[in-house]
Amino acid sequence: MRRKDNLTTEFSFTLPRGLIDDRQRVNRQGVMRLATAKDEIIVQQDPHVRENPAYGVLIMLSRVITRLGSYTSVTPDLLENLQILDIAFLREYYNQINQQGEAKIPTQCPHCNTQFAVKLELAGES
């Protein structure tokens, strides 16, 4: 019998601050799925991104976040209301899960010039 490998495609997260909704509830828990090539293509074709390339981050995040607290539909307009800390967290989280959870940054020791890789960890992880 062959062992079947399971591919995890959705990952839970908790925002540092959260999004306050109309009822004054803080929405911090969410789910993000892995990005696809289609997501990348759609972001590049979006007219908002052509006007302002920085907006691509919000469009991509809105495509891959499947739930944010009580919101089951996440739009770029909704994400515009997040604080910068939360956007930075989501960008790091997106990069981490789409790089198999082992994002390593090449670096060099300033004293001996030895090159090595440092594992990227989300703020607050230990």
Side-chain angles (χ1 to χ4, degrees):
M1 182 181 226
R2 276 179 52 183
R3 188 175 141 230
K4 195 175 183 182
D5 289 331
N6 291 331
L7 175 64
T8 303
T9 60
E10 289 195 331
F11 301 85
S12 298
F13 63 83
T14 302
L15 293 175
R17 298 271 168 84
L19 181 67
I20 299 175
D21 63 21
D22 296 341
R23 294 175 153 169
Q24 300 304 308
R25 293 178 298 191
V26 179
N27 295 271
R28 294 181 63 217
Q29 308 297 320
V31 177
M32 184 182 292
R33 67 169 174 78
L34 292 176
T36 64
K38 184 176 182 177
D39 293 323
E40 293 282 345
I41 292 166
I42 288 172
V43 168
Q44 295 305 314
Q45 293 174 339
D46 190 284
H48 292 100
V49 175
R50 290 185 183 161
E51 274 183 39
N52 180 3
Y55 202 71
V57 171
L58 295 181
I59 293 175
M60 177 58 83
L61 289 174
S62 72
R63 292 193 55 79
V64 298
I65 297 172
T66 59
R67 184 181 60 75
L68 179 56
S70 60
Y71 297 99
T72 55
S73 176
V74 177
T75 65
D77 291 337
L78 180 70
L79 295 178
E80 285 178 2
N81 295 309
L82 286 173
Q83 294 183 6
I84 294 300
L85 178 65
D86 288 331
I87 293 294
F89 172 89
L90 290 169
R91 289 176 73 165
E92 279 187 55
Y93 194 72
Y94 171 90
N95 288 333
Q96 186 177 33
I97 69 170
N98 282 286
Q99 295 174 10
Q100 306 303 321
E102 278 290 352
K104 297 203 176 186
I105 301 169
T107 190
Q108 184 173 354
C109 175
H111 303 290
C112 67
N113 293 327
T114 302
Q115 295 183 357
F116 57 97
V118 176
K119 182 181 173 194
L120 174 67
E121 293 186 1
L122 293 173
E125 278 189 347
S126 48

